[in-house]
Amino acid sequence: MSPDGYDLIVVGGGPGGSTAASLAALDGHRVLLLEKERFPRYQIGESLLPSTVHDICSMLGVGEEVRRAGFTPKHGGTFRWGANPEPWTFTFGASPRMADSPYAFQVERMRFDQILLDHARRVGVDVRERHSATGVLREGDRVAGVRYRASGREERARARFVIDASGHGSRLHHHVGGRREYSPFFRNLAVFGYFEGGHRLPEPDSGNIVCVAFGSGWFWYIPLSPTLTSVGAVVGQDAVAKVQGDPDAALDAFIGECPTVGEYLADARRATREPYDRVRVRKDFSYDRTAVWCPGMALVGDAACFIDPVFSSGVHLATYSALLAARSVNTALADDVDEERCFTEFEGRYRREFGHFRDFLTAFYQMHVDEDSYFWQARKITEHPGSAQEAFIDLVGGMTAADFAPRPTDGSGEDGDPAGAAPPAQKVGPKVCASIGGAERRAPMLPGGLVASAGGLRWAEPA
């Protein structure tokens, strides 16, 4: 423990930061979390994957609360995409890995992020809101704490480790060395707003995310509640002037270009309650980093990497990388395995998962092929042992990481189904750590690598 009494400082209170902080606290460590804003606060990224809902949240101990929060169940996705002129739908339940919990949620991030941050407090994390990290402290070549501002004053806090989970606007990411590299392919812009009264697909697909390609790019259509819908157009650089000149008019114009979304919104109206009463613009430039950790510090989520949002991978990559980083911190603090080997495992697994989404998305943007070709590409990229369709579903469900083993189907889990979340014959039955801990999988993912411990909180040597 550092002289200031902290084992870990986490910068950022979103899903990645709350996950990393909670998992370190659950392993018995003293954790400080610094968040620059006051929660609840608005955030985009509203469509979750099953791996986050059933694996990460259950491991944190917040699965029950998330499942009972009244979020919209999402059984899969519907696409009007590629050479097939008709919409096509996938369901999570078609994969054996998700057959017992075949859904995720569409969430209002203000509520979801608050649940995770409040839970971090409950498990012992020292959470400080309106505390903005401004730099790092060093001891030689090692990061040993952070500088931050609170109530107009510059303060310092020291710790054995720092995790930067402060998002794409991170002020700290460069301290690990290396550089941020932007993709030449995914250089898009998103313009989005919220509508009341939009169309819903028939059950059981009413909560599906709908993605529709059109001439200028593609639309997301996310049902957040029975009446509220998040609608966004992701467009290329040739539309920048139109979007930046008048975002409201640009969104209306793009809706006019896309008959499917136009029909869905025919009887809808713009939302008028805060924070959903305005049109927003976000630069969706995908990027990676040549370094994601250095002695004493690691980057997770958008502080490290960002990929095009068509498969709603943002929260998954944030919480998954946070799990990997927390395991590395916990293991190094326990002196079970040396720090370099721990964080080499973190980086290898993180880059593997990010690379799966990046490489598949490159193929998915080829619009002259149909969904069977996309499924085949998913199987090729992930080296999935099952069918091509199963490979696609496991990829977009966040289940290709070996950390997420098949869940038990004996009905012995801690939770029941949320209202309307799963068909009656398919019961939710994940044990808290059964799918994340190393007891199920003792072979390392990487050559010469480590495996997760039985409880999932640390790394361990292969058996």
Side-chain angles (χ1 to χ4, degrees):
M1 189 176 291
S2 75
D4 286 355
Y6 292 108
D7 299 303
L8 170 66
I9 296 172
V10 176
V11 179
S18 293
T19 295
S22 293
L23 293 176
L26 288 168
D27 203 41
H29 302 302
R30 180 108 188 269
V31 183
L32 171 66
L33 186 151
L34 304 175
E35 165 55 47
K36 67 180 180 180
E37 297 186 55
R38 173 73 69 185
F39 276 38
R41 55 87 177 96
Y42 172 82
Q43 184 60 268
I44 191 64
E46 298 143 329
S47 193
L48 303 186
L49 305 189
S51 59
T52 302
V53 172
H54 301 294
D55 293 299
I56 297 291
C57 287
S58 290
M59 186 178 189
L60 291 172
V62 76
E64 167 74 11
E65 187 173 358
V66 170
R67 278 184 275 271
R68 299 302 180 192
F71 296 127
T72 297
K74 162 189 169 183
H75 290 111
T78 298
F79 286 82
R80 170 57 187 90
W81 196 284
N84 187 346
E86 297 300 321
W88 51 275
T89 294
F90 73 88
T91 59
F92 295 125
S95 165
R97 289 183 136 203
M98 291 175 275
D100 67 309
S101 47
Y103 66 93
F105 290 113
Q106 317 285 17
V107 299
E108 295 182 64
R109 285 285 301 277
M110 292 178 68
R111 295 174 53 215
F112 178 73
D113 291 12
Q114 185 78 67
I115 288 171
L116 296 191
L117 190 65
D118 287 346
H119 181 74
R121 285 191 178 95
R122 290 197 297 271
V123 298
V125 177
D126 181 357
V127 176
R128 302 186 189 179
E129 298 176 68
R130 293 185 178 172
H131 283 58
S132 180
T134 58
V136 303
L137 307 177
R138 288 190 176 272
E139 293 179 358
D141 65 351
R142 183 178 186 83
V143 173
V146 300
R147 297 192 307 274
Y148 63 93
R149 291 192 65 82
S151 302
R153 296 182 303 182
E154 184 83 13
E155 305 283 355
R156 297 183 174 204
R158 306 185 74 83
R160 290 274 303 278
F161 290 95
V162 173
I163 292 177
D164 180 12
S166 57
H168 70 279
S170 166
R171 302 174 66 178
L172 306 183
H173 70 91
H174 61 281
H175 287 293
V176 301
R179 63 190 181 278
R180 184 176 279 185
E181 294 185 335
Y182 287 88
S183 166
F185 188 74
F186 299 110
R187 301 179 68 86
N188 298 322
L189 198 70
V191 54
F192 53 97
Y194 296 84
F195 292 79
E196 293 281 356
H199 172 72
R200 294 291 180 266
L201 295 174
E203 296 295 350
D205 300 326
S206 64
N208 280 12
I209 183 171
V210 180
C211 295
V212 183
F214 72 111
S216 296
W218 64 272
F219 265 99
W220 76 68
Y221 188 94
I222 301 175
L224 295 177
S225 77
T227 60
L228 181 67
T229 308
S230 171
V231 179
V234 178
V235 297
Q237 287 294 292
D238 53 350
V240 167
K242 179 191 293 186
V243 172
Q244 293 181 337
D246 188 339
D248 289 75
L251 181 59
D252 287 342
F254 293 137
I255 292 170
E257 289 181 35
C258 183
T260 300
V261 174
E263 291 172 9
Y264 281 15
L265 295 175
D267 297 322
R269 64 188 185 282
R270 287 276 183 88
T272 56
R273 63 182 174 92
E274 294 184 347
Y276 303 119
D277 57 345
R278 70 200 70 172
V279 171
R280 292 175 167 88
V281 177
R282 172 167 170 162
K283 188 165 63 174
D284 272 345
F285 284 15
S286 298
Y287 54 82
D288 196 353
R289 289 198 98 265
T290 58
V292 293
W293 72 277
C294 71
M297 182 174 177
L299 311 178
V300 303
D302 290 358
C305 311
F306 175 78
I307 193 64
D308 184 275
V310 68
F311 288 120
S312 308
S313 58
V315 174
H316 163 66
L317 290 171
T319 56
Y320 177 60
S321 60
L323 166 64
L324 301 178
R327 277 182 185 160
S328 301
V329 168
N330 291 342
T331 308
L333 287 171
D335 292 325
D336 291 344
V337 181
D338 70 84
E339 179 180 340
E340 182 174 3
R341 194 164 175 217
C342 289
F343 282 95
T344 297
E345 189 74 25
F346 154 76
E347 179 173 3
R349 292 187 184 226
Y350 188 10
R351 290 196 185 280
R352 177 183 182 272
E353 187 73 355
F354 179 83
H356 282 166
F357 279 95
R358 179 198 59 217
D359 296 346
F360 180 68
L361 280 163
T362 301
F364 196 70
Y365 266 78
Q366 304 302 311
M367 295 293 184
H368 62 281
V369 298
D370 64 13
E371 60 269 30
D372 289 335
S373 178
Y374 299 140
F375 298 164
W376 181 86
Q377 285 288 346
R379 189 171 187 267
K380 177 182 177 182
I381 289 166
T382 62
E383 300 179 338
H384 195 286
S387 71
Q389 185 185 42
E390 288 170 4
F392 171 81
I393 294 169
D394 283 350
L395 174 60
V396 301
M399 297 300 298
T400 60
D403 298 80
F404 303 134
R407 305 186 189 96
T409 57
D410 60 0
S412 59
E414 62 178 5
D415 305 307
D417 301 337
Q426 296 174 312
K427 284 299 191 184
V428 177
K431 292 179 183 291
V432 172
C433 296
S435 59
I436 297 183
E440 303 283 341
R441 291 174 176 250
R442 301 306 295 172
M445 178 188 294
L446 308 172
L450 303 168
V451 298
S453 65
L457 292 175
R458 299 182 188 176
W459 297 120
E461 296 287 354

